[in-house]
Amino acid sequence: MPPQPLGRSGARLAKAMNKLGWHWWPSDTTVATVDYEGRARCINLGHCTPGCAQGAKASTDITYWPVALRAGIELRTHCRVREITTNEHGMASGVVYYDKDGVEQFQPAEVVVIACNGIGTPRLLLNSASGRFPDGLANSSGLVGKNLMFHPYAQMYGYVDEPTDSNRAPPTCLWSKEFYETDPARGFVRGYAFQFGRGVGPVFEAVASEAKGILPWGEDHHRMFRKLNGHRLAVSAICEDLPEEHNRVTLDGVLKDSHGIPAPRVDYTIGENSTKMLEHGIARGKEILAAAGATNICVNNPILYGGWHLLGTARMGTDPARSVVNEWGRSHDVKNLFIVDGSVFVTSGGVNPTSTIQAIALYVADQMKQRLANLFD
Amino acid sequence: MSAVSALTSTQRDDLRVVAAMIVPASTEYKVPGADDSAIQADMIATLGRDTDVVRAALDHLARLAGKPLADLDPARRSAVAHEFRASGGNAAATLTRVVLQCYYRDDRVVRSLGLELRPPFPKGYALEQGDWSLLDPVRTRPPMWRRIS
């Protein structure tokens, strides 16, 4: 499948990266650029994040779910699992959940697979504590809920003299891994990817620029708005957060959800390594924008509305004392319990995690099939 | 509570005045101000979950002004507006967002920006291919990743 066109924004940013001699590549966007398996190709509607009327965006409702349903899966929506139950052998025996009418139900199971991500998964495991598993299910290591990682994300943006693609295309055009690998000279380990944005629409531009103080109230508003609107280029550093046990998910002692299930409590501080990485990314991002001819350069650090991917709280590993699931996703403690979400990450990676989560889920599913004869050994 | 009664008459008056201070009408760009009646009606009708916060913002504005904004002389009104934005926190930011989002979705304003008055779907938009030879220098770089042994 070919990449998205470079567009005006991509071409301008690509020239800037070439000028600096830095790596870049057209971005994958999870969007079909040609007709594909019954889905029509992208026609640049622009509003990819909330949904795609064209069906070009590969969201799970039109990719995995139809295939699963055709294979005979029963999907029960508007349900909320309270706990995973276990039997006298220490195996998972099913789940207790509330159905769409709020009625408590029990679903027996031979195998339980969790995909609730970095907060929901530890919450469920911790809420599944029992006499046999007093510290929560699958938690003999004590690591369920610990090592919570996000993607601290610094965004730099500026304005160029020529029109950009604005919000009339998928938001991301290029990325770069120039600063992805460890370089000791930088003062931090691991690194970050740059993600390049094509621009935004008028409402977003007006609200964001006013809040940033570059779009005035009053007489000069219109002149300034026309200078900014449709002229934005953006670059974001998506940093590889590292595992730190004090960043964690626990159960709140007071808060409960509408079903009375204890709510998760999140404790997290951006670490020193990630802070240094953000600072490095901001400096390099400003250089890129300057090379692209941008002015009025602004920084959001960290951004508030993205990058908070939920990772690391049921980490994968071969040592049961230092991990929650083994190298193919099975709980070390409960041999018919599998986890296939971002909680099994051991570091966060400096990229958006969905593709990796999918790869892990597919890998674990393949492993389960291949090991079916001795899956619980 | 109806959308109209979400704000008192005084609050609606102050909203109209402060909206015009944020985005005044312009003969140069041939656009209405954010105090335009259709734009104001959009704000009131779509306040939704912002209602309580906008009400709090207007209360803060009223406290700073001491009387209806419209009754202040321009210099005092400007000083109050400045103080409102500086000290109003999330409430002032929310009010400003409500004003701007309703203003910049008004057909007359969108047209003045040179944008088509239509939803993106089903026609979509054209995106220039760009010059793919820009990738040539990247393709000639040596590998920059670690090889898995």
Side-chain angles (χ1 to χ4, degrees), chain B residues 4 12 15-17 19-20 23 25 31-45 102-103 106 108:
Chain B
V4 172
R12 275 182 274 139
L15 175 62
R16 190 162 47 246
V17 175
V23 192
V31 285
D35 58 341
D36 173 84
S37 58
I39 296 170
Q40 285 287 307
D42 182 18
M43 287 180 210
I44 300 292
C102 291
Y103 184 78
D106 180 86
R108 296 160 293 176

Side-chain angles (χ1 to χ4, degrees), chain A residues 208-238:
Chain A
S209 293
E210 192 281 338
K212 207 68 180 168
I214 59 173
L215 179 62
W217 290 21
E219 288 307 317
D220 204 30
H221 178 93
H222 297 288
R223 183 193 66 80
M224 194 60 193
F225 186 71
R226 279 154 180 77
K227 192 175 167 189
L228 301 175
N229 184 52
H231 292 262
R232 179 191 286 226
L233 289 178
V235 52
S236 300
I238 173 168

Side-chain angles (χ1 to χ4, degrees), chain A residues 31-371:
Chain A
V31 164
T33 54
V34 295
D35 293 350
Y36 182 74
E37 291 190 350
R39 291 161 41 214
R41 70 186 183 283
C42 177
I43 53 172
N44 304 304
L45 302 178
H47 302 279
C48 302
T49 302
C52 178
Q54 176 81 343
K57 177 183 166 183
S59 47
T60 49
D61 57 330
I62 57 172
T63 53
Y64 289 101
W65 273 117
V67 174
L69 293 171
R70 281 198 295 275
I73 294 291
E74 180 188 345
L75 173 63
R76 297 180 196 165
T77 58
H78 300 285
C79 297
R80 187 179 282 161
V81 177
R82 186 183 74 201
E83 64 180 282
I84 298 164
T85 57
T86 51
N87 61 22
E88 67 275 20
H89 306 296
M91 301 284 275
S93 55
V95 299
V96 177
Y97 72 99
Y98 297 97
D99 68 16
K100 61 182 169 47
D101 300 315
V103 177
E104 183 180 316
Q105 305 282 359
F106 175 68
Q107 175 61 52
E110 297 296 325
V111 173
V112 173
V113 181
I114 310 176
C116 303
N117 229 6
I119 290 180
T121 288
R123 179 196 185 196
L124 177 57
L125 293 172
L126 294 172
N127 272 322
S128 301
S130 61
R132 182 185 286 263
F133 300 102
D135 299 322
L137 199 57
N139 197 22
S140 63
S141 64
L143 291 174
V144 168
K146 291 182 179 170
N147 299 304
L148 174 66
M149 294 175 287
F150 294 124
H151 281 126
Y153 222 101
Q155 185 196 47
M156 292 63 67
Y157 60 93
Y159 299 86
V160 293
D161 52 352
E162 294 176 339
T164 62
D165 300 322
S166 184
N167 63 338
R168 283 160 174 69
T172 305
C173 51
L174 316 177
W175 49 256
S176 168
K177 290 196 171 171
E178 180 69 26
F179 304 104
Y180 197 80
E181 293 287 354
T182 297
D183 179 346
R186 293 180 195 140
F188 54 85
V189 297
R190 304 302 300 136
Y192 57 90
F194 273 129
Q195 184 175 297
F196 296 88
R198 294 183 188 276
V200 298
V203 169
F204 188 103
E205 188 62 73
V207 173
S209 293
E210 192 281 338
K212 207 68 180 168
I214 59 173
L215 179 62
W217 290 21
E219 288 307 317
D220 204 30
H221 178 93
H222 297 288
R223 183 193 66 80
M224 194 60 193
F225 186 71
R226 279 154 180 77
K227 192 175 167 189
L228 301 175
N229 184 52
H231 292 262
R232 179 191 286 226
L233 289 178
V235 52
S236 300
I238 173 168
C239 296
E240 179 164 359
D241 215 6
L242 297 180
E244 298 176 87
E245 289 194 14
H246 61 87
N247 289 331
R248 64 193 184 278
V249 176
T250 53
L251 295 179
D252 194 284
V254 177
L255 284 178
K256 291 179 169 45
D257 67 20
S258 57
H259 290 103
I261 306 171
R265 175 191 164 93
V266 176
D267 289 281
Y268 175 83
T269 306
I270 296 178
E272 186 183 349
N273 195 69
S274 293
T275 299
K276 288 179 179 173
M277 210 184 293
L278 285 163
E279 288 165 359
H280 190 275
I282 290 167
R284 300 294 85 72
K286 286 179 175 177
E287 288 181 51
I288 295 167
L289 290 169
T295 56
N296 277 318
I297 292 172
C298 300
V299 175
N300 291 320
N301 177 36
I303 64 169
L304 301 178
Y305 47 81
W308 304 107
H309 307 123
L310 315 173
L311 307 164
T313 50
R315 67 200 329 249
M316 180 180 276
T318 53
D319 181 358
R322 293 297 306 149
S323 56
V324 176
V325 297
N326 71 8
E327 67 273 30
W328 40 280
R330 191 184 72 179
S331 157
H332 289 299
D333 301 348
V334 182
K335 304 220 181 286
N336 62 342
L337 177 65
F338 294 80
I339 303 176
V340 293
D341 58 46
S343 63
V344 304
F345 280 37
V346 291
T347 82
S348 66
V351 292
N352 290 330
T354 301
S355 299
T356 309
I357 292 172
Q358 288 179 76
I360 289 171
L362 294 170
Y363 174 74
V364 171
D366 279 346
Q367 289 295 308
M368 291 171 73
K369 277 171 68 180
Q370 289 173 26
R371 298 168 187 266

Side-chain angles (χ1 to χ4, degrees), chain B residues 132-144:
Chain B
W132 284 105
S133 72
L134 286 165
L135 259 183
D136 292 347
V138 185
R139 291 182 197 279
T140 59
R141 289 171 62 112
M144 58 191 292

